[in-house]
Amino acid sequence: MKSYEPGQGRKTAALRGSFMCGSLLYTMHEKYMRMALKQAHVAQTKDEVPVGAIIVKDGKVIARAHNLRERTQRALAHAEILVIDKACRKLNTWRLEGCVLYVTLEPCAMCAGASILARLDGVVYGAKDPKAGSMGSIINLAEISQYNHHPWVIEGILAEECGQILSDFFKLKREK
Amino acid sequence: MKSYEPGQGRKTAALRGSFMCGSLLYTMHEKYMRMALKQAHVAQTKDEVPVGAIIVKDGKVIARAHNLRERTQRALAHAEILVIDKACRKLNTWRLEGCVLYVTLEPCAMCAGASILARLDGVVYGAKDPKAGSMGSIINLAEISQYNHHPWVIEGILAEECGQILSDFFKLKREK
């Protein structure tokens, strides 16, 4: 996977990605996003807001996690934080260079910040989050030039499926 | 402690705080910041970047932590994240309403985001961080109106001491 230059925006990254490898790259992103979606489904079975994430390095999935905030009552138990923590433990380093995060929902400020802190190469997400999304919707923290790391960001991979599982979850909650 | 209205900026909060209770409030902030500084000193003894944090609720310190990133090799092991996690476990809730975070260094994007996510009432910090600070220096995430929670922010409590311990640490590192 191409690692983009610091400071490049998500749109540039997405366009360059598409231009470089075309549908092959898109298929790869879809494959990994399906794995993240599987994690979202696991969260759903636990009555958690269905968001799932995986981390990929050198073509291998090195960590999987899903949102567990209600079950654990930990503010930090977002899928991205849990998966970054798992990846750090697995590789025994806080520098997740060469790693890409796939997550079904656009990261919030905490998770976008964690992606920068962990020096992830890139972040690929599915559905946008207009209420808290901090990698394109409200703000894009990956584009703040003063920070010392700038993961590239690609949005909208399996966006409909990633959003649908959330809509269904909240609809069911309201009906109950 | 006064809880400020959502959306109020750190400067407003600081000024209103000073106006309301004057030196008494400042003395209280200093007292708690000294406890956070103690945690920073513990980090220093472990050869970690000396940043310390505590969380206070109803005048009681409910959690203490210090930066442990190198020792644990976890990207998330900033003092703020660890102390928020401890507080959630202690209170058995991810909603840290009524809680105030004291931290010796201005929070980064991840930690500022975590403060918002955890619904902290407020954040008091010592030294500013021009390289990564995300509660006033580079950006103030607590002021982004679209987010659903806005902790008040007070900066500069024991700023000199909080900054000095960091300068000394990095000076010693360079000399070595």
Side-chain angles (χ1 to χ4, degrees):
Chain A
M1 180 164 302
K2 175 79 176 74
S3 174
Y4 299 93
E5 291 300 309
Q8 283 194 312
R10 80 202 137 84
K11 280 179 188 161
T12 322
L15 286 169
R16 278 189 59 171
S18 309
F19 178 73
M20 283 171 55
C21 311
S23 63
L24 189 67
L25 188 68
Y26 191 82
T27 308
M28 183 192 72
H29 290 326
E30 274 202 353
K31 180 183 95 175
Y32 289 129
M33 192 59 80
R34 288 223 176 277
M35 295 184 192
L37 255 172
K38 253 192 189 172
Q39 288 295 311
H41 282 286
V42 178
Q44 193 182 24
T45 63
K46 295 177 181 174
D47 206 28
E48 294 277 354
V49 174
V51 179
I54 65 164
I55 286 181
V56 178
K57 184 181 165 78
D58 300 330
K60 278 186 190 156
V61 180
I62 61 163
R64 297 162 210 260
H66 49 270
N67 176 43
L68 282 173
R69 200 156 66 149
E70 293 305 326
R71 184 168 284 215
T72 62
Q73 286 297 312
R74 293 171 63 203
L76 312 170
H78 274 189
E80 300 96 311
I81 294 289
L82 298 176
V83 84
I84 286 172
D85 212 24
K86 279 186 179 178
C88 288
R89 288 175 196 269
K90 180 141 189 181
L91 302 179
N92 197 31
T93 176
W94 62 261
R95 292 175 188 84
L96 298 183
E97 285 151 7
C99 293
V100 176
L101 167 69
Y102 287 82
V103 57
T104 56
L105 183 67
E106 181 181 355
C108 71
M110 172 179 72
C111 297
S115 305
I116 295 165
L117 253 282
R119 309 268 172 95
L120 286 168
D121 274 15
V123 176
V124 183
Y125 66 84
K128 287 183 83 76
D129 181 359
K131 288 187 183 171
S134 300
M135 283 190 143
S137 288
I138 292 173
I139 191 172
N140 188 348
L141 293 177
E143 281 183 344
I144 293 185
S145 60
Q146 294 98 319
Y147 293 157
N148 70 348
H149 182 69
H150 306 88
W152 49 259
V153 178
I154 296 175
E155 64 181 56
I157 304 292
L158 300 183
E160 207 174 306
E161 285 177 65
C162 293
Q164 194 61 50
I165 186 175
L166 285 160
S167 308
D168 293 347
F169 177 82
F170 288 115
K171 194 181 164 201
L172 204 67
K173 280 271 168 202
R174 280 193 300 272
E175 284 170 4
K176 275 183 185 168
Chain B
M1 179 165 302
K2 175 80 174 73
S3 174
Y4 299 93
E5 291 301 309
Q8 283 194 313
R10 81 204 136 83
K11 279 179 188 160
T12 323
L15 285 169
R16 278 189 59 171
S18 310
F19 178 73
M20 283 172 54
C21 312
S23 63
L24 189 67
L25 188 68
Y26 191 82
T27 309
M28 184 193 70
H29 289 326
E30 274 201 354
K31 181 183 95 175
Y32 290 130
M33 192 58 80
R34 287 223 177 277
M35 294 182 190
L37 255 170
K38 253 192 190 172
Q39 287 296 311
H41 282 286
V42 179
Q44 192 181 26
T45 63
K46 295 177 180 173
D47 206 28
E48 294 277 355
V49 174
V51 179
I54 65 165
I55 286 181
V56 178
K57 184 181 166 77
D58 301 329
K60 279 187 190 156
V61 180
I62 60 163
R64 296 162 210 261
H66 49 270
N67 176 43
L68 283 173
R69 200 156 65 149
E70 293 304 326
R71 184 169 284 216
T72 62
Q73 286 298 311
R74 293 171 62 203
L76 312 170
H78 274 189
E80 300 96 311
I81 293 289
L82 298 176
V83 84
I84 286 172
D85 212 25
K86 278 186 180 178
C88 288
R89 287 174 196 269
K90 180 142 188 178
L91 302 178
N92 196 31
T93 176
W94 62 260
R95 293 175 187 84
L96 298 183
E97 285 150 7
C99 293
V100 176
L101 167 69
Y102 287 82
V103 57
T104 57
L105 183 67
E106 181 181 357
C108 70
M110 171 179 72
C111 297
S115 306
I116 296 165
L117 254 281
R119 310 267 172 96
L120 285 168
D121 273 16
V123 176
V124 183
Y125 68 83
K128 287 183 84 75
D129 181 358
K131 288 186 182 172
S134 300
M135 281 191 145
S137 287
I138 292 172
I139 190 171
N140 188 348
L141 293 177
E143 281 183 345
I144 293 185
S145 60
Q146 293 99 319
Y147 293 157
N148 69 348
H149 181 70
H150 307 88
W152 49 260
V153 179
I154 295 175
E155 65 182 55
I157 305 293
L158 300 183
E160 206 173 306
E161 285 177 66
C162 293
Q164 195 61 50
I165 187 175
L166 284 160
S167 309
D168 292 348
F169 176 82
F170 288 115
K171 193 179 165 202
L172 204 67
K173 280 271 168 202
R174 281 192 299 272
E175 283 169 6
K176 275 182 185 168

Short mmCIF file of all heavy atoms in Angstrom, two decimals, chain B residues 22-46:
data_model
loop_
_atom_site.label_atom_id
_atom_site.label_comp_id
_atom_site.label_asym_id
_atom_site.label_seq_id
_atom_site.Cartn_x
_atom_site.Cartn_y
_atom_site.Cartn_z
N GLY B 22 -11.81 33.93 42.88
CA GLY B 22 -10.53 34.58 43.11
C GLY B 22 -9.43 33.62 43.48
O GLY B 22 -9.33 32.52 42.93
N SER B 23 -8.64 34.04 44.46
CA SER B 23 -7.43 33.28 44.78
C SER B 23 -7.73 31.93 45.40
O SER B 23 -6.93 31.02 45.33
CB SER B 23 -6.55 34.10 45.72
OG SER B 23 -7.24 34.32 46.93
N LEU B 24 -8.89 31.77 45.99
CA LEU B 24 -9.26 30.49 46.60
C LEU B 24 -9.31 29.39 45.55
O LEU B 24 -8.78 28.29 45.73
CB LEU B 24 -10.63 30.63 47.28
CG LEU B 24 -11.05 29.45 48.16
CD1 LEU B 24 -10.15 29.34 49.38
CD2 LEU B 24 -12.51 29.59 48.59
N LEU B 25 -9.95 29.71 44.43
CA LEU B 25 -10.05 28.76 43.32
C LEU B 25 -8.67 28.44 42.77
O LEU B 25 -8.33 27.28 42.51
CB LEU B 25 -10.94 29.33 42.22
CG LEU B 25 -11.30 28.38 41.08
CD1 LEU B 25 -12.21 27.27 41.56
CD2 LEU B 25 -11.96 29.13 39.94
N TYR B 26 -7.86 29.48 42.63
CA TYR B 26 -6.50 29.28 42.10
C TYR B 26 -5.70 28.36 43.03
O TYR B 26 -4.99 27.47 42.57
CB TYR B 26 -5.80 30.64 41.94
CG TYR B 26 -4.52 30.50 41.16
CD1 TYR B 26 -4.54 30.45 39.77
CD2 TYR B 26 -3.29 30.38 41.82
CE1 TYR B 26 -3.37 30.29 39.05
CE2 TYR B 26 -2.11 30.22 41.10
CZ TYR B 26 -2.16 30.18 39.72
OH TYR B 26 -1.01 30.00 39.01
N THR B 27 -5.84 28.59 44.34
CA THR B 27 -5.13 27.76 45.32
C THR B 27 -5.57 26.30 45.21
O THR B 27 -4.75 25.39 45.29
CB THR B 27 -5.41 28.28 46.75
OG1 THR B 27 -5.14 29.68 46.76
CG2 THR B 27 -4.56 27.58 47.78
N MET B 28 -6.85 26.09 45.00
CA MET B 28 -7.35 24.73 44.84
C MET B 28 -6.75 24.08 43.59
O MET B 28 -6.27 22.94 43.64
CB MET B 28 -8.87 24.75 44.72
CG MET B 28 -9.48 23.38 44.65
SD MET B 28 -11.20 23.46 44.13
CE MET B 28 -11.04 23.96 42.41
N HIS B 29 -6.73 24.81 42.50
CA HIS B 29 -6.14 24.27 41.28
C HIS B 29 -4.66 23.95 41.50
O HIS B 29 -4.16 22.93 41.03
CB HIS B 29 -6.28 25.27 40.12
CG HIS B 29 -7.68 25.42 39.62
ND1 HIS B 29 -8.59 24.39 39.60
CD2 HIS B 29 -8.34 26.50 39.12
CE1 HIS B 29 -9.73 24.82 39.09
NE2 HIS B 29 -9.62 26.10 38.81
N GLU B 30 -3.97 24.83 42.20
CA GLU B 30 -2.54 24.59 42.48
C GLU B 30 -2.35 23.33 43.31
O GLU B 30 -1.44 22.54 43.06
CB GLU B 30 -1.96 25.79 43.25
CG GLU B 30 -1.50 26.91 42.37
CD GLU B 30 -0.49 27.82 43.06
OE1 GLU B 30 -0.26 27.65 44.28
OE2 GLU B 30 0.05 28.70 42.38
N LYS B 31 -3.20 23.16 44.29
CA LYS B 31 -3.11 21.99 45.17
C LYS B 31 -3.22 20.70 44.34
O LYS B 31 -2.41 19.78 44.47
CB LYS B 31 -4.24 22.03 46.21
CG LYS B 31 -4.22 20.88 47.19
CD LYS B 31 -5.40 20.92 48.16
CE LYS B 31 -6.55 20.07 47.67
NZ LYS B 31 -7.68 19.96 48.58
N TYR B 32 -4.20 20.66 43.47
CA TYR B 32 -4.39 19.45 42.66
C TYR B 32 -3.28 19.30 41.62
O TYR B 32 -2.86 18.19 41.31
CB TYR B 32 -5.77 19.45 42.00
CG TYR B 32 -6.89 19.25 43.00
CD1 TYR B 32 -7.99 20.09 43.03
CD2 TYR B 32 -6.85 18.20 43.91
CE1 TYR B 32 -9.02 19.91 43.94
CE2 TYR B 32 -7.87 18.01 44.84
CZ TYR B 32 -8.95 18.87 44.85
OH TYR B 32 -9.95 18.68 45.75
N MET B 33 -2.82 20.45 41.08
CA MET B 33 -1.75 20.36 40.08
C MET B 33 -0.46 19.83 40.72
O MET B 33 0.31 19.12 40.07
CB MET B 33 -1.51 21.71 39.40
CG MET B 33 -0.61 21.64 38.16
SD MET B 33 -1.26 20.53 36.87
CE MET B 33 -2.49 21.60 36.13
N ARG B 34 -0.27 20.14 42.00
CA ARG B 34 0.92 19.60 42.69
C ARG B 34 0.84 18.07 42.76
O ARG B 34 1.85 17.38 42.65
CB ARG B 34 1.02 20.15 44.13
CG ARG B 34 1.45 21.57 44.20
CD ARG B 34 2.49 21.91 45.25
NE ARG B 34 2.80 23.33 45.09
CZ ARG B 34 3.67 23.81 44.20
NH1 ARG B 34 4.37 22.99 43.46
NH2 ARG B 34 3.86 25.09 44.07
N MET B 35 -0.36 17.56 42.92
CA MET B 35 -0.53 16.09 42.94
C MET B 35 -0.23 15.50 41.56
O MET B 35 0.37 14.44 41.45
CB MET B 35 -1.95 15.73 43.37
CG MET B 35 -2.26 16.12 44.80
SD MET B 35 -3.94 15.59 45.22
CE MET B 35 -4.15 16.44 46.80
N ALA B 36 -0.67 16.20 40.52
CA ALA B 36 -0.38 15.75 39.16
C ALA B 36 1.13 15.79 38.91
O ALA B 36 1.71 14.89 38.30
CB ALA B 36 -1.12 16.61 38.14
N LEU B 37 1.78 16.85 39.43
CA LEU B 37 3.24 16.99 39.29
C LEU B 37 3.97 15.83 39.98
O LEU B 37 5.00 15.37 39.50
CB LEU B 37 3.70 18.32 39.89
CG LEU B 37 4.06 19.41 38.90
CD1 LEU B 37 4.26 20.74 39.60
CD2 LEU B 37 5.28 19.07 38.05
N LYS B 38 3.43 15.40 41.11
CA LYS B 38 4.03 14.25 41.80
C LYS B 38 4.04 13.03 40.88
O LYS B 38 5.01 12.27 40.83
CB LYS B 38 3.20 13.91 43.05
CG LYS B 38 3.88 14.30 44.35
CD LYS B 38 3.17 13.69 45.53
CE LYS B 38 3.70 14.28 46.81
NZ LYS B 38 2.94 13.87 47.98
N GLN B 39 2.94 12.87 40.15
CA GLN B 39 2.86 11.76 39.19
C GLN B 39 3.89 11.94 38.07
O GLN B 39 4.48 10.97 37.60
CB GLN B 39 1.45 11.67 38.60
CG GLN B 39 0.40 11.15 39.56
CD GLN B 39 0.69 9.70 39.96
OE1 GLN B 39 0.93 8.85 39.11
NE2 GLN B 39 0.69 9.43 41.25
N ALA B 40 4.10 13.19 37.65
CA ALA B 40 5.11 13.45 36.61
C ALA B 40 6.49 13.04 37.13
O ALA B 40 7.30 12.47 36.38
CB ALA B 40 5.09 14.93 36.23
N HIS B 41 6.75 13.32 38.40
CA HIS B 41 8.04 12.94 38.99
C HIS B 41 8.19 11.41 39.03
O HIS B 41 9.27 10.89 38.81
CB HIS B 41 8.19 13.54 40.39
CG HIS B 41 8.56 15.00 40.35
ND1 HIS B 41 9.84 15.41 40.00
CD2 HIS B 41 7.84 16.12 40.56
CE1 HIS B 41 9.87 16.75 40.02
NE2 HIS B 41 8.68 17.21 40.36
N VAL B 42 7.10 10.71 39.28
CA VAL B 42 7.16 9.24 39.26
C VAL B 42 7.52 8.76 37.85
O VAL B 42 8.36 7.87 37.67
CB VAL B 42 5.82 8.61 39.73
CG1 VAL B 42 5.90 7.10 39.67
CG2 VAL B 42 5.46 9.07 41.15
N ALA B 43 6.91 9.38 36.84
CA ALA B 43 7.23 9.03 35.44
C ALA B 43 8.72 9.22 35.18
O ALA B 43 9.38 8.37 34.58
CB ALA B 43 6.41 9.88 34.48
N GLN B 44 9.25 10.34 35.69
CA GLN B 44 10.67 10.67 35.49
C GLN B 44 11.58 9.58 36.07
O GLN B 44 12.57 9.20 35.45
CB GLN B 44 10.96 12.00 36.18
CG GLN B 44 12.29 12.61 35.82
CD GLN B 44 12.50 13.92 36.57
OE1 GLN B 44 11.93 14.13 37.65
NE2 GLN B 44 13.31 14.78 36.00
N THR B 45 11.22 9.08 37.23
CA THR B 45 12.05 8.03 37.86
C THR B 45 12.04 6.75 37.02
O THR B 45 12.91 5.91 37.16
CB THR B 45 11.55 7.68 39.28
OG1 THR B 45 10.23 7.14 39.18
CG2 THR B 45 11.56 8.88 40.20
N LYS B 46 11.03 6.63 36.15
CA LYS B 46 10.94 5.44 35.28
C LYS B 46 11.50 5.73 33.89
O LYS B 46 11.29 4.95 32.96
CB LYS B 46 9.48 5.00 35.16
CG LYS B 46 8.87 4.53 36.47
CD LYS B 46 7.39 4.18 36.30
CE LYS B 46 6.78 3.71 37.62
NZ LYS B 46 5.32 3.52 37.52
#
